[in-house]
Amino acid sequence: MMWNYLFWGLLLLICIFLLLNHYHLSKDVSKIIQTARDIRAGNFNLRFRLRTTRTDILEHGGELNRLADHFQTALERTKFLEEERKRMISNISHDLRTPLTSLLGYIDALQTDKTLTEEERVEFLRISAEKGNDLLHLIQEFFELARLEEASQEIVLQKVDLAEFARAVILDFYPDFTKLSITPSLAITSYPVYVNANPDSLRRVLNNLLANALRYGREGKIIGLTVRQELEYAFVEVWDRGEGIPAQDLPYIFERLYTAEASRNKSMRGTGLGLTIAKSLVEKQGGKSA
């Protein structure tokens, strides 16, 4: 008789344990379902927080949290890219419309204004050609950036003396420095600094950096170029003593088509692509930009 009581008592305890386990499991599953519904409804900061001793439930909750983190990161990235796309379209429209409107205006004057003198016609033709070249340069930069961003685009590297290469590149800017009364400040090592680079790409990087400093830092009257080596790394720095870049613009200077509002005037025309192309070329060659 006693064994019967023990048996039924043990069976009752097992049933109670199973019922409690089922209750807690159902509660955890319900909480997971509700949290998932809340996240799907737009509350992306929610995470699955469970109080349970079951390792399988905890592992599932952890995986769901990692999935939610990944989803939120992807969502924020998508939102950022959408904002960048809108800004890019706005900047493209601005950069194309400005020289195109001016070009069409001068062409219309040449066609319809019979009072223009010969000297005025020559000047209008010169300005029209300048505006056309601005458009061509902008379109070429669009195509170059698209080409660089292709995953299949490869750059062939070779051994290059960065110090000697930098001296040769800055010589091309001396006429501009002289014209604008700018003093170049050079701090280039006297010994060779060998790097693995593509000469054409390296020249484009240095040209873009120097042209950017020339465009936006000319009022400082000094533009510097530094080439140095630290251990296995080679560094190139281009600097100027202009007004500098506003703090709110610093995080975006390497983004395509981003230009600070102060730079969008006729005397300092820029597409906003120069630094983006330079950064892409540096990374294609295994380097880093900062």
Side-chain angles (χ1 to χ4, degrees):
M1 190 66 126
M2 182 180 296
W3 289 107
N4 286 337
Y5 286 135
L6 288 174
F7 171 77
W8 289 110
L10 181 61
L11 183 62
L12 180 62
L13 287 174
I14 292 173
C15 290
I16 293 173
F17 173 78
L18 291 175
L19 286 173
L20 287 173
N21 189 58
H22 177 72
Y23 168 76
H24 288 299
L25 179 61
S26 298
K27 187 177 179 181
D28 289 336
V29 171
S30 297
K31 189 174 182 180
I32 290 173
I33 292 172
Q34 185 58 50
T35 302
R37 286 174 177 169
D38 291 340
I39 292 175
R40 189 178 61 184
N43 194 347
F44 303 120
N45 291 320
L46 278 180
R47 291 297 180 268
F48 299 90
R49 307 187 188 283
L50 305 170
R51 292 183 179 179
T52 179
T53 58
R54 293 190 53 164
T55 56
D56 56 343
I57 297 295
L58 290 174
E59 288 177 2
H60 278 82
E63 287 298 322
L64 287 171
N65 283 333
R66 284 185 282 275
L67 179 62
D69 291 339
H70 178 76
F71 175 76
Q72 186 173 22
T73 300
L75 188 68
E76 291 171 353
R77 178 63 178 170
T78 300
K79 183 179 179 181
F80 168 78
L81 290 175
E82 177 63 16
E83 292 173 353
E84 184 184 54
R85 183 188 66 81
K86 291 178 180 178
R87 185 173 63 247
M88 182 177 68
I89 292 174
S90 175
N91 289 347
I92 289 175
S93 300
H94 177 279
D95 290 330
L96 288 175
R97 183 174 61 247
T98 301
L100 182 59
T101 301
S102 180
L103 173 62
L104 293 175
Y106 281 107
I107 290 176
D108 182 66
L110 287 168
Q111 289 178 329
T112 61
D113 192 345
K114 306 302 181 183
T115 65
L116 292 177
T117 65
E118 186 62 27
E119 290 77 11
E120 288 174 329
R121 288 183 177 277
V122 171
E123 179 64 11
F124 280 19
L125 282 171
R126 185 193 66 77
I127 296 175
S128 298
E130 181 182 289
K131 300 300 179 184
N133 286 330
D134 287 345
L135 283 171
L136 178 61
H137 177 68
L138 178 60
I139 293 170
Q140 286 173 335
E141 288 201 321
F142 289 151
F143 279 115
E144 180 171 4
L145 183 60
R147 179 178 60 83
L148 287 173
E149 291 183 342
E150 290 181 6
S152 59
Q153 181 66 27
E154 294 185 2
I155 294 179
V156 179
L157 306 180
Q158 65 185 63
K159 187 176 181 180
V160 177
D161 180 359
L162 183 59
E164 186 61 31
F165 198 91
R167 292 189 190 94
V169 170
I170 202 167
L171 280 175
D172 296 335
F173 285 84
Y174 266 84
D176 297 309
F177 292 157
T178 301
K179 181 180 178 181
L180 297 171
S181 301
I182 290 175
T183 302
S185 177
L186 305 182
I188 301 175
T189 60
S190 57
Y191 52 85
V193 178
Y194 291 110
V195 296
N196 287 322
N198 177 273
D200 292 335
S201 299
L202 183 57
R203 183 176 297 277
R204 184 63 192 271
V205 170
L206 293 174
N207 279 339
N208 283 9
L209 294 176
L210 288 167
N212 193 74
L214 192 64
R215 180 179 294 117
Y216 302 124
R218 63 179 65 176
E219 72 278 2
K221 297 301 180 183
I222 295 179
I223 290 178
L225 174 62
T226 301
V227 176
R228 57 189 173 86
Q229 184 174 9
E230 294 182 9
L231 300 177
E232 71 271 27
Y233 295 99
F235 295 86
V236 177
E237 298 171 355
V238 176
W239 55 271
D240 61 72
R241 292 194 177 163
E243 293 183 2
I245 301 172
Q248 67 270 19
D249 294 322
L250 280 174
Y252 311 105
I253 60 172
F254 288 113
E255 291 182 14
R256 60 175 65 83
L257 288 165
Y258 186 89
T259 55
E261 288 302 316
S263 69
R264 287 192 170 275
N265 60 64
K266 291 170 62 178
S267 64
M268 294 190 292
R269 281 188 299 270
T271 64
L273 290 174
L275 291 181
T276 305
I277 291 173
K279 180 177 183 290
S280 181
L281 286 171
V282 167
E283 292 174 351
K284 285 277 186 178
Q285 297 174 87
K288 295 181 180 180
S289 56

